[in-house]
Amino acid sequence: MSSTMPNSLADGRYQLGQLIGRGGMAEVRVALDTRLGRTVAVKIMRADLANDQIFLSRFRREAHAVAQMNNPNIVNIYDSGEETVTAEDGGTEHLPYLVMEYVKGQTLRDIIKANGALSQRDAEQVMLGVLNALEYSHRMGIIHRDIKPGNIMISEQGIVKVMDFGIARALDDSAATMTQSQGVVGTAQYLSPEQARGETVDMRSDLYSAGCVLYEMLTGRPPFTGDSAVAIAYQHVSEVATPPSALVPGLPKMWDSICAKAMAKDRQNRYATAAEFKTDILTFMNGGVPVATAFNPLTDLSNMKARKQAEQNDPTATAAMSPTMAMPTAAMPGAAETATTQAFNPVTGQFEAIPAMQPAGGTTVKSRAEQRAEAAQANRKKKIIIGSIIGAIVAIIAILGIYVALHGGASMVEEQVEVPDFTSMSGVTKDKVRAELKKLGLTPKITDDATSDKPEGTVTKQDPDGGTKVDKGTTVEVWFSSGPQSTTVPDVSDMTQSKAISTLTSADFKVADTVQTVDSTIEKDKVVKTDPEAGSSQAKGSTITLYVSTGKTAMPDVTGQPLGAAQQTLTGMGLGGSMSTSEEYDDNVPEGSVISTNPAAGEYVDSTMTISIVVSKGKQPVKQVTLPTTIALGTNSATVSAVTAQLEALGLKVEIASGNPTDGTAIVTAVNPGLGQTVDEGSTVTLTTKSATNSGSNGGSGDNSGDDGGNDGGNTGGDGN
């Protein structure tokens, strides 16, 4: 039963991003913690292992083990939980996950793979970080049990981080070295001898693995390699690694001693604590002599081989070895005076001292019978040693046999290949997948994925995952998208934002944005509507916008603001759905700014209302008026009444010059401004007037040079005379 990996966890709190790592038990993705706004790494158990109680307990144990630890050299665990997902058969599964500190950098494995052996200084700094982490975890009562380069991160700032406590156990629970399927836990190339033999483990088992890591950093290769995990485990139990200085010319032999101390077969001869291991490294790098120089089986490998060859040629060779050939122990006071013969024990990984038999006279003289007896005793010891080795091998084979029986007879030593990761490749076709898998000896199975929102022909998933090692002949199923399918947008109105996102995500939609909107009918922080709207048919994978209610709110005062700023304020409050504008002249409000709104400021509104906005056109422009030239000034037609009516009809004001006749029948003789002049509407025009008839005295003054009125006056005056 396979399930689809969700896009988010914890009701949308952790938005999952790209895949950054994959292991045998889980995959790791980068994610955004939307609540705290930080980048994290989320480790999610593989769906096919979700019902395996062994792996579930391992996964939960890791969360429990690391959650109680806080050390700069250990990757922190922030959160854990289980996500409910829908499987392909319609059932539900619970995927456990861990939210961890996101470390941007590389694993030590990748660094060694790309660059080879590290410098002595770099190897020292990395090892000190690892030992700091182990010293802390051991003090907290936790044994890691899987120290290897792949579980050591080096950040971009050079900080060493130990991770993956997936098989860690408490010290009082360390006897459980095997899984229920009798599989030895740990990684073969860094496995302690007691782990390989299925015995109890303790802190020194971690230190053995750390010694293997130090060896690989110095040489660029693990201490033991082989064609299978069984072959490598056998070497850890019974063989001694080549000294690092023999592989790296110029490397100080003191590193041989430090590695030998850490990788001693018998844990009694290893470093007792991580602090002791760390002290030796610091002492050596600062020019001192570490305690580890007291014992060095790696550098004595050639002597061991020479003695074995001598014993094969002459059974009495060991007994006849002179004191000058014996190897004294440098740590023992007076070693030169009490020289001893040392025999190598491949079970313990040590050279064990055999005191020389000396008579009272001080010379070593033995009879032939004594020499034969000692040779026979040496043979018996050798048989015991060989029997121990064979017993260990038989135990390992028995473990493998039980594992094979529990897994349907599948052979662990059967040739395995790595499954390609088709999901990360571009331009992958069905034919290409078939050809690639057949070339690797795997059986392809192509399946159409009708639930994917990706373009048709895109690889959506595969089982087993890319990077997994499987036996040849294994079926690898690869799903290809048959194109986005349409589905109905669910109605999430009146839901909380997190629940709405979860509902839409489960319906194969994406939520890209949320918009705050005012709605007095919907409780604050609950969904008002979606865009596209609920009930509409949309392609799977489409983006949905959520409109979230801010509840009932008061109309803001936007008077005096420019129209654009006012509209932006209203839209930001969710009131911009329906707005209308009109314009009016206003001498007090600048052009383009808001004069008033309806509803007015302070009134309660919601997003369903239409907001009316009155915008100022500025000051009303003044109309220009031209004084008519048709007025016959000074004539009987240009009476004050007639001229006044004509000018007022044009929007002008009329006044009579001081001292002039104001009677309506008076004659207008002049206007100011003059006829034909353009003036502002409402301007005042001053009229100069005279009486309609003149007296006799006035008539005498008339002459022919005056206007028509003057002539009339002159004629009248003449008649008077």
Side-chain angles (χ1 to χ4, degrees):
M1 181 169 64
S2 178
S3 59
T4 303
M5 183 63 64
N7 295 320
S8 63
L9 302 172
D11 289 333
R13 175 177 178 179
Y14 304 109
Q15 297 292 330
L16 299 180
Q18 65 180 358
L19 181 70
I20 57 176
R22 179 183 285 116
M25 184 172 66
E27 65 178 37
V28 181
R29 293 181 178 270
V30 67
L32 174 65
D33 183 344
T34 57
R35 182 179 301 172
L36 299 179
R38 67 181 174 187
T39 301
V40 296
V42 179
K43 183 175 184 178
I44 310 172
M45 174 172 279
R46 282 171 38 191
D48 57 321
L49 300 177
N51 295 320
D52 190 319
Q53 293 304 315
I54 297 173
F55 285 100
L56 277 173
S57 62
R58 279 181 57 181
F59 204 89
R60 290 165 180 159
R61 190 185 309 129
E62 177 174 9
H64 178 74
V66 185
Q68 58 184 308
M69 294 191 287
N70 183 16
N71 183 272
N73 295 118
I74 296 176
V75 174
N76 290 322
I77 295 289
Y78 297 140
D79 193 7
S80 66
E82 293 187 2
E83 187 74 9
T84 302
V85 296
T86 303
E88 292 181 348
D89 61 0
T92 58
E93 292 180 346
H94 299 279
L95 291 184
Y97 63 87
L98 300 178
V99 182
M100 307 181 294
E101 171 188 4
Y102 175 63
V103 181
K104 194 172 183 180
Q106 291 180 287
T107 64
L108 179 60
R109 178 188 61 190
D110 294 336
I111 293 173
I112 295 176
K113 186 176 180 180
N115 305 312
L118 276 59
S119 67
Q120 294 182 62
R121 181 59 63 185
D122 287 345
E124 173 205 15
Q125 294 303 317
V126 173
M127 205 64 225
L128 291 178
V130 173
L131 292 173
N132 279 335
L134 290 178
E135 182 182 6
Y136 179 83
S137 68
H138 292 167
R139 188 165 64 249
M140 295 295 290
I142 300 297
I143 306 171
H144 189 286
R145 304 203 307 168
D146 196 17
I147 293 295
K148 60 183 179 181
N151 283 340
I152 301 170
M153 284 287 297
I154 312 297
S155 73
E156 291 184 343
Q157 292 75 34
I159 300 174
V160 178
K161 294 278 189 179
V162 176
M163 58 184 180
D164 199 354
F165 280 73
I167 60 174
R169 282 187 182 269
L171 287 169
D172 57 2
D173 191 28
S174 60
T177 307
M178 303 179 199
T179 65
Q180 291 179 9
S181 58
Q182 298 301 305
V184 180
V185 282
T187 303
Q189 290 177 322
Y190 313 94
L191 206 65
S192 67
E194 56 269 21
Q195 284 175 288
R197 289 193 294 263
E199 299 172 355
T200 59
V201 299
D202 58 20
M203 297 181 297
R204 293 167 294 182
S205 303
D206 279 349
L207 300 183
Y208 181 94
S209 300
C212 294
V213 172
L214 174 61
Y215 185 102
E216 185 168 351
M217 286 193 291
L218 293 170
T219 64
R221 47 156 282 184
F224 300 112
T225 58
D227 296 333
S228 66
V230 176
I232 297 173
Y234 171 78
Q235 294 177 71
H236 279 292
V237 171
S238 61
E239 295 189 11
V240 179
T242 304
S245 63
L247 300 174
V248 182
L251 186 70
K253 292 185 179 298
M254 192 58 69
W255 286 116
D256 299 351
S257 300
I258 293 174
C259 289
K261 180 75 172 178
M263 295 166 56
K265 306 299 181 185
D266 186 344
R267 71 183 90 184
Q268 298 295 332
N269 296 321
R270 292 180 208 150
Y271 290 108
T273 64
E276 184 180 320
F277 194 168
K278 185 170 63 175
T279 299
D280 258 14
I281 293 178
L282 288 171
T283 301
F284 172 51
M285 295 305 291
N286 291 327
V289 179
V291 178
T293 56
F295 172 69
N296 188 354
L298 294 184
T299 54
D300 292 335
L301 180 62
S302 58
N303 295 329
M304 178 194 74
K305 292 180 178 178
R307 277 195 304 277
K308 283 188 176 181
Q309 184 63 43
E311 289 175 2
Q312 291 175 359
N313 296 335
D314 183 0
T316 64
T318 302
M321 186 174 184
S322 69
T324 59
M325 294 175 61
M327 294 173 288
T329 301
M332 293 174 57
E337 290 80 1
T338 59
T340 59
T341 300
Q342 295 186 355
F344 180 77
N345 185 339
V347 174
T348 63
Q350 306 295 318
F351 287 99
E352 299 175 349
I354 302 175
M357 300 293 292
Q358 293 186 349
T363 58
T364 305
V365 180
K366 298 178 183 179
S367 66
R368 194 65 178 169
E370 290 174 332
Q371 294 178 3
R372 282 195 294 269
E374 288 184 1
Q377 183 179 3
N379 285 333
R380 283 195 298 273
K381 287 185 177 181
K382 184 161 65 174
K383 289 179 181 179
I384 293 172
I385 292 170
I386 294 174
S388 299
I389 296 173
I390 293 174
I393 295 173
V394 169
I396 294 173
I397 293 174
I399 293 170
L400 297 176
I402 296 172
Y403 182 88
V404 169
L406 292 176
H407 288 74
S411 174
M412 286 187 63
V413 296
E414 185 177 347
E415 184 179 359
Q416 293 189 323
V417 293
E418 185 173 314
V419 178
D421 187 0
F422 296 111
T423 59
S424 63
M425 299 181 185
S426 59
V428 179
T429 63
K430 295 180 180 180
D431 290 339
K432 182 177 180 180
V433 168
R434 290 189 184 96
E436 186 72 19
L437 292 175
K438 288 180 179 179
K439 184 171 66 176
L440 294 171
L442 301 172
T443 303
K445 180 182 178 182
I446 307 301
T447 304
D448 289 331
D449 187 352
T451 64
S452 172
D453 61 345
K454 295 183 179 179
E456 183 178 0
T458 304
V459 175
T460 59
K461 55 186 175 179
Q462 65 181 75
D463 185 28
D465 293 332
T468 305
K469 288 193 175 183
V470 298
D471 297 335
K472 282 192 173 182
T474 299
T475 297
V476 177
E477 188 171 8
V478 181
W479 283 263
F480 281 82
S481 173
S482 55
Q485 306 295 312
S486 295
T487 188
T488 301
V489 178
D491 185 0
V492 295
S493 59
D494 211 26
M495 290 184 184
T496 62
Q497 186 175 340
S498 59
K499 185 176 180 181
I501 292 175
S502 177
T503 301
L504 291 169
T505 302
S506 299
D508 295 324
F509 290 107
K510 299 176 182 177
V511 179
D513 198 8
T514 58
V515 177
Q516 298 295 316
T517 184
V518 177
D519 195 313
S520 60
T521 63
I522 301 294
E523 185 180 343
K524 184 180 179 181
D525 294 331
K526 288 194 174 182
V527 176
V528 176
K529 61 178 181 178
T530 59
D531 184 21
E533 64 183 7
S536 63
S537 181
Q538 303 294 330
K540 288 185 177 181
S542 298
T543 298
I544 306 294
T545 299
L546 289 180
Y547 288 82
V548 180
S549 173
T550 61
K552 185 181 290 187
T553 189
M555 178 71 184
D557 186 1
V558 294
T559 56
Q561 295 184 12
L563 176 61
Q567 289 175 326
Q568 186 173 0
T569 299
L570 296 172
T571 301
M573 296 179 63
L575 299 171
S578 178
M579 285 189 284
S580 65
T581 59
S582 60
E583 294 182 325
E584 292 181 3
Y585 288 110
D586 193 306
D587 293 348
N588 299 316
V589 179
E591 183 179 358
S593 295
V594 176
I595 300 173
S596 63
T597 60
N598 185 22
E603 294 183 18
Y604 280 107
V605 293
D606 61 46
S607 59
T608 63
M609 295 183 178
T610 298
I611 309 298
S612 299
I613 305 174
V614 180
V615 183
S616 174
K617 294 170 65 176
K619 291 183 179 181
Q620 188 168 3
V622 179
K623 183 179 179 181
Q624 298 291 303
V625 178
T626 302
L627 273 65
T629 58
T630 57
I631 299 175
L633 296 174
T635 67
N636 290 331
S637 63
T639 64
V640 170
S641 298
V643 172
T644 297
Q646 191 172 357
L647 293 177
E648 287 181 345
L650 295 174
L652 299 172
K653 297 176 183 178
V654 177
E655 67 179 17
I656 307 299
S658 178
N660 284 240
T662 60
D663 185 74
T665 60
I667 304 300
V668 179
T669 60
V671 295
N672 184 27
L675 299 179
Q677 296 294 314
T678 300
V679 296
D680 292 341
E681 185 179 14
S683 299
T684 300
V685 179
T686 303
L687 304 181
T688 302
T689 66
K690 69 177 181 177
S691 299
T693 58
N694 289 325
S695 65
S697 61
N698 289 337
S701 66
D703 57 35
N704 292 330
S705 64
D707 55 22
D708 291 342
N711 291 335
D712 293 340
N715 292 334
T716 303
D719 292 340
N721 292 331

